[in-house]
Amino acid sequence: MHPPYPAAPRRLLYVANEDYAFLMHRLPMARAARDAGYEVHVATNVNAGASAIAAERFILHPIPFQRGGLSPSAALPTVRAIRAVETAVKPDVVHHSGLQASVLGSLAALGSSIPVVNAITGLGYVFTSSTLRSRVTKQAMVWLLPRLMNRSSSFVLVQNPDDRDALSALGVRPEKIALIPGSGVDTDRFQPLPEPDGPISFGFAGRLLTDKGIRALVAAHRLLRAEGHDFNLLIAGSPDPANPASVSPDEIEQWRREAGITLLGQIKDITELWQRCHIAVLPSHREGLPVSLLEAAACGRPLASTDAPGCREIAINGQTGLVVPIESPVALADAMKRLAQSPDLRARYGKAARQLVEDKLSARIIGRSVVALYDRLTSGIPVL
């Protein structure tokens, strides 16, 4: 008799609009799935991340993805490409990363019974902007999302209670929504760092968007410099021309000329930023659960942020940092100054931030939760 053939590995397909977005936001959970025995495939628009994805032993499928493109002319080639990848790969479960991938991927999955995880990591510009274009798009999403997300094989993954409640209010059935806080942070790679020498430095990591609070942060920095404080602001990130909320090249050049502002652009190892900074600042309007604050917290940095969805899950006022209203440069400047002038507060909040990550938000913890979700879906067990 022939020995029994080994069971084929279950196949997991990630769909993301950009390779760097997959590497930034999905890598810990993809690693956890791989280590649990899944064969991991990634369908995405390839920019510079192909070698990094291959190094993880994931199978890459380049597809066209026009970021911000939900118009039929922009969406149709992507929907066709996703469907073609699914036909070739025959995945056991598909994980759509972000709102755009969830909408286009769900359209591609129409008529299929493959279990689909729609990861809505923050509701994005469409839901935070008040422009006419975004209001029209939001109305379309209000009509479309419940119809796609409530399909029998479809489930929604959110990172914070606010997004869960917002999707429920849009008509997504509660039993279709699973809450897992964030994508996890590697607590072995990101270790507590000693404070740097020299003047107090604030660090910002993220895209240079109004929605990320970058203009409010620069305004707060100007207020502090005008008061005579020798504080520095280090900005790691770049504009996002595909996003209507992006800052302009002229603004960036103006910031580059201002005292105390250092523009680092995209940096390969974000720990370099937290090695140089005393405090992490992200005055965002809305997040899923911000990776930049998770990584800063893992490095033992105190946080200054807003009482916004997603941010409040990691920036807890009086525990891991200080929290201010959205788009309030004066309040933000006061919080930044308070942290800058108190080594005791920075040490206490930084220690608590690291502990919160270790207790609830590490890659190990989040990875186990996400793999358990995949296991239930591939086994036909109800999610909730």
Side-chain angles (χ1 to χ4, degrees):
M1 292 181 61
H2 291 289
Y5 291 105
R10 289 170 294 178
R11 292 176 176 174
L12 166 64
L13 173 63
Y14 284 96
V15 179
N17 60 5
E18 294 284 356
D19 53 3
Y20 73 81
F22 168 79
L23 290 166
M24 178 177 293
H25 298 293
R26 294 289 165 263
L27 193 52
M29 58 182 62
R31 285 171 171 165
R34 177 200 63 203
D35 295 345
Y38 282 84
E39 180 181 282
V40 177
H41 295 251
V42 182
T44 187
N45 184 56
V46 178
N47 186 2
S51 59
I53 291 173
E56 297 287 343
R57 306 194 308 278
F58 303 152
I59 301 168
L60 179 62
H61 303 270
I63 60 173
F65 233 122
Q66 182 176 323
R67 291 192 54 245
L70 287 173
S71 67
S73 61
L76 191 57
T78 305
V79 171
R80 286 174 173 164
I82 296 170
R83 186 183 285 268
V85 171
E86 290 180 354
T87 300
V89 172
K90 296 180 173 58
D92 295 282
V93 61
V94 180
H95 185 131
H96 300 139
S97 178
L99 179 62
Q100 185 189 24
S102 293
V103 171
L104 300 186
S106 293
L107 291 171
L110 290 175
S112 168
S113 60
I114 299 170
V116 166
V117 176
N118 296 296
I120 309 295
T121 52
L123 293 174
Y125 175 80
V126 167
F127 285 85
T128 58
S129 172
S130 59
T131 66
L132 176 61
R133 179 183 175 185
S134 65
R135 290 201 303 270
V136 171
T137 306
K138 180 179 178 179
Q139 286 304 310
M141 289 298 100
V142 167
W143 181 86
L144 187 59
L145 279 177
R147 288 163 173 79
L148 293 177
M149 304 298 118
N150 286 331
R151 293 172 58 242
S152 60
S153 59
S154 178
F155 298 89
V156 180
L157 177 61
V158 297
Q159 297 185 338
N160 64 68
D162 295 274
D163 286 349
R164 178 190 59 199
D165 296 345
L167 287 168
S168 293
L170 290 175
V172 180
R173 298 203 302 270
E175 66 271 18
K176 288 288 184 180
I177 304 174
L179 195 164
I180 297 176
S183 55
V185 60
D186 186 342
T187 50
D188 294 327
R189 176 188 171 198
F190 294 96
Q191 292 280 342
L193 298 169
E195 282 200 331
D197 297 327
I200 293 293
S201 295
F202 301 94
F204 171 95
R207 290 177 294 161
L208 305 187
L209 307 175
T210 299
D211 298 357
K212 297 289 184 182
I214 186 60
R215 289 190 174 102
L217 175 55
V218 170
H221 171 77
R222 288 170 177 159
L223 291 173
L224 293 171
R225 297 289 294 198
E227 291 179 4
H229 299 290
D230 186 27
F231 301 151
N232 295 319
L233 174 59
L234 278 64
I235 300 174
S238 58
D240 183 0
N243 192 307
S246 180
V247 302
S248 68
D250 289 343
E251 286 178 281
I252 294 172
E253 282 307 309
Q254 180 179 345
W255 297 349
R256 199 182 304 277
R257 294 191 295 268
E258 292 190 35
I261 296 180
T262 301
L263 294 168
L264 302 173
Q266 297 282 17
I267 58 178
K268 188 172 183 179
D269 185 357
I270 200 65
T271 56
E272 296 176 7
L273 175 67
W274 307 126
Q275 286 169 347
R276 298 173 61 179
C277 294
H278 300 75
I279 300 153
V281 189
L282 183 72
S284 183
H285 295 188
R286 189 179 194 109
E287 298 282 337
L289 207 157
V291 171
S292 67
L293 291 188
L294 284 171
E295 293 172 344
C299 291
R301 293 294 177 252
L303 313 175
S305 188
T306 54
D307 185 27
C311 295
R312 63 172 69 107
E313 307 305 313
I314 180 67
I316 302 171
N317 196 51
Q319 179 179 330
T320 63
L322 297 177
V323 170
V324 301
I326 295 169
E327 287 298 314
S328 180
V330 172
L332 182 59
D334 287 344
M336 292 164 66
K337 179 168 61 177
R338 185 178 168 197
L339 290 170
Q341 293 177 338
S342 176
D344 291 340
L345 272 188
R346 294 199 303 273
R348 176 152 51 92
Y349 292 163
K351 182 178 180 181
R354 169 70 189 192
Q355 194 64 52
L356 177 60
V357 169
E358 289 182 352
D359 291 345
K360 296 182 179 180
L361 303 169
S362 73
R364 292 185 187 90
I365 294 170
I366 301 303
R368 283 198 300 267
S369 297
V370 173
V371 169
L373 174 63
Y374 297 154
D375 288 346
R376 289 196 295 273
L377 292 176
T378 56
S379 302
I381 300 172
V383 171
L384 296 176

